[in-house]
Amino acid sequence: MDSELVFSYLLAELAAQRGDLGTAYGHYLHAAILAQDAYAAERATRIAIYRKDVPAALRASERWVDLAPNDLQARQTAVYLFVRAGDSTAALAQAEALLQIADALGQDGYLQLAGVLGKGHSDLAGLQLMRELAARHATEAHAQFALAVVEEAAQDAKAAEASLRRALALQPDWAKPRVLLARMLTSLGRGAEARAMLQEGVQQYPDDVLLRNAYARTLVEASAYPEALEQFRRLRQQLPDDDEILYAIAVLAGQTRQWDEAREAWQTLRNLGKRYDEATYYLGQVEEQAGKPAVAAGLYAAVQEGPLRVDAALRLAQLRAAAGALNESREVLQRARVLEPERAVDVYLAETRILAEHGQQEDVLSVYAAALQAYPEHPDLLYNRAIYAAEQGLVDAAERDLVRLLAADPNHVDALNALGYTLADQTDRYQEAYGYIRKAYELKPDSAAILDSLGWVYYRMGQHEQALKYLRQALERMADPEIAAHLGEVLWVTGDRADARRVWGEARAAHPEHRKLRAVMEQFD
């Protein structure tokens, strides 16, 4: 270490700290030459890359490779820079050297190259280089897999699929290509094909955890919850200490109403201190569904931290109200508003729902008034107050809130539909109602609720054929008892009483306590 070398190092460090990157680059490169120091060459390379000075970065990178020829990062950086500079011959030479070094170290050099070449360049030079490498190493499954990674990054799904299938043909027991191919097929809307391929893999290689995990998750995405739960059970046998697998079992057991299994899984996670508040909350849900409201309430009350704290308070308040302790329920909600002011609107809405079920109309309207005073013109508050008012027959109040909503957002689909349906159902302003509903339908033609409203307004206007058309479409999209009540009424009025009874009967079997459905059936049948 002579004085010139010490000076270059110190000046380079100080210049870098002060943001004088040009000076830092020059002195690091000078130090690399004087001391034959790979660290200084690396620093110079990275500074030049940060400055987007490719020629300067290449000069420093070549020095870095010379000084540390077996450094994989040096080789990766050289590949990247030669691709950027458009020198495919030099890039290919560096890539081949990287593959040899990685192989000697027992690492996957192809995947390391994919990480560099898959970043994407406007001229697709990186993809071209990876294709040339894969052609040179056509019998290497890892080369084909790395090519697929780069092709996927370049959004060439067809080519990536072909590369993955080549990788699987070369090495059928390798899970990674199969999992990536399944993910790609799912994203392309070929989910059934992806699941079948993963299922075949699991059957052929039952001990492969990666394959089974991927298969289980595709089953979840397909809402095949019982089948997914069985796969996660198998995974737990293979990896009994994996908390993520236990978590998946807990969620899926609850989803499939396997309450004992869900309870055990959540309790285990809770005892381990893993996701304590989340486990406590969902354990409360399990006990509530299992018909143990007192146990559930105690668990909800124990959730004191985390993002589910307010949700636990809402469930606790509902249970307190159901048990007849309405004042205590409202106190729980008041505390929740104070603790989580950003969720205050959610808490206000929960309180109105509880009061609508267990309190008085004036109490509900009073809470809405207080909420809107704190959050003026809040769309959720206005919309929900309008819906409540309509249910109570307060048409003028409902109309005022919905008109306020539409003044702020003329394309508020739910407000358009609600206003149109309210006017059609509770007034004789049918043409006005039709205008609102028709606009909602044009904005969201597949909505079952809007199709129901459109059918209902046609019925109120005496256009029974059109009414039946849209009400049938609505019921096909959503088996809702109110839609069934409407369709049954129109069928009855048009003389098809057998079909009306069938529609009502099917809906009542699924929703025996639905008030509107029962009222319509009693009125007509």
Side-chain angles (χ1 to χ4, degrees), residues 345 348-349 368 371-372 375 378-386:
V345 170
Y348 274 123
L349 291 173
Y368 273 123
L372 281 162
Y375 300 92
H378 194 287
D380 290 344
L381 292 170
L382 285 172
Y383 178 76
N384 280 277
R385 184 169 71 173

Side-chain angles (χ1 to χ4, degrees), residues 23-77:
T23 299
Y25 169 82
H27 282 279
Y28 271 127
L29 190 57
H30 186 57
I33 295 168
L34 285 177
Q36 296 294 290
D37 180 17
Y39 165 78
E42 178 184 355
R43 291 281 283 168
T45 304
R46 296 195 185 284
I47 287 170
I49 291 173
Y50 181 77
R51 297 179 70 202
K52 299 181 180 178
D53 186 342
V54 175
L58 267 174
R59 285 194 298 275
S61 172
E62 288 178 297
R63 178 66 58 181
W64 183 12
V65 169
D66 288 342
L67 295 171
N70 294 324
D71 187 321
L72 286 171
Q73 282 197 357
R75 296 287 183 175
Q76 278 182 303
T77 306

Side-chain angles (χ1 to χ4, degrees), residues 410-428:
N411 291 327
H412 193 299
V413 175
D414 292 333
L416 287 166
N417 184 52
L419 181 52
Y421 178 79
T422 300
L423 295 177
D425 192 53
Q426 300 191 48
T427 76
D428 57 3

Side-chain angles (χ1 to χ4, degrees), residues 282-399:
Y282 285 112
L283 192 56
Q285 283 199 335
V286 169
E287 299 298 356
E288 188 176 352
Q289 292 294 331
K292 299 178 180 179
V295 176
L299 288 162
Y300 290 138
V303 180
Q304 296 297 317
E305 301 293 338
L308 291 171
R309 177 169 61 174
V310 170
D311 299 272
L314 300 184
R315 293 305 314 148
L316 176 60
Q318 182 66 48
L319 290 174
R320 292 279 188 259
L326 187 57
N327 290 337
E328 187 177 339
S329 169
R330 299 186 70 180
E331 288 171 5
V332 170
L333 295 172
Q334 175 61 37
R335 286 196 299 273
R337 276 196 292 271
V338 172
L339 289 172
E340 299 278 358
E342 66 276 10
R343 297 277 310 271
V345 170
D346 294 337
V347 178
Y348 274 123
L349 291 173
E351 187 171 4
T352 62
R353 288 192 293 270
I354 288 171
L355 288 171
E357 186 176 357
H358 302 285
Q360 302 294 323
Q361 184 186 99
E362 57 267 25
D363 294 329
V364 178
L365 295 176
S366 175
V367 172
Y368 273 123
L372 281 162
Q373 185 174 5
Y375 300 92
E377 304 302 315
H378 194 287
D380 290 344
L381 292 170
L382 285 172
Y383 178 76
N384 280 277
R385 184 169 71 173
I387 297 302
Y388 177 74
E391 290 172 350
Q392 300 299 306
L394 306 173
V395 177
D396 291 343
E399 185 177 0

Side-chain angles (χ1 to χ4, degrees), residues 1-13 27 30:
M1 293 286 285
D2 59 22
S3 59
E4 183 180 357
L5 188 55
V6 171
F7 176 78
S8 289
Y9 273 121
L10 289 175
L11 188 56
E13 291 287 349
H27 282 279
H30 186 57

Side-chain angles (χ1 to χ4, degrees), residues 468-512:
L468 288 171
K469 171 186 172 182
Y470 289 106
L471 289 171
R472 288 188 193 280
Q473 289 180 24
L475 194 61
E476 285 173 5
R477 282 170 171 75
M478 183 170 64
D480 180 82
E482 187 160 344
I483 298 174
H486 288 159
L487 177 57
E489 181 172 337
V490 180
L491 288 167
W492 186 277
V493 168
T494 55
D496 194 348
R497 297 189 173 185
D499 203 18
R501 288 193 178 101
R502 179 190 61 79
V503 169
W504 286 334
E506 290 175 359
R508 187 170 185 177
H511 307 276

Side-chain angles (χ1 to χ4, degrees), residues 69-72 96-110 112:
N70 294 324
D71 187 321
L72 286 171
E96 290 285 11
L98 184 150
L99 290 174
Q100 291 182 25
I101 296 164
D103 185 58
L105 295 172
Q107 297 182 27
D108 187 343
Y110 296 105
Q112 293 186 25

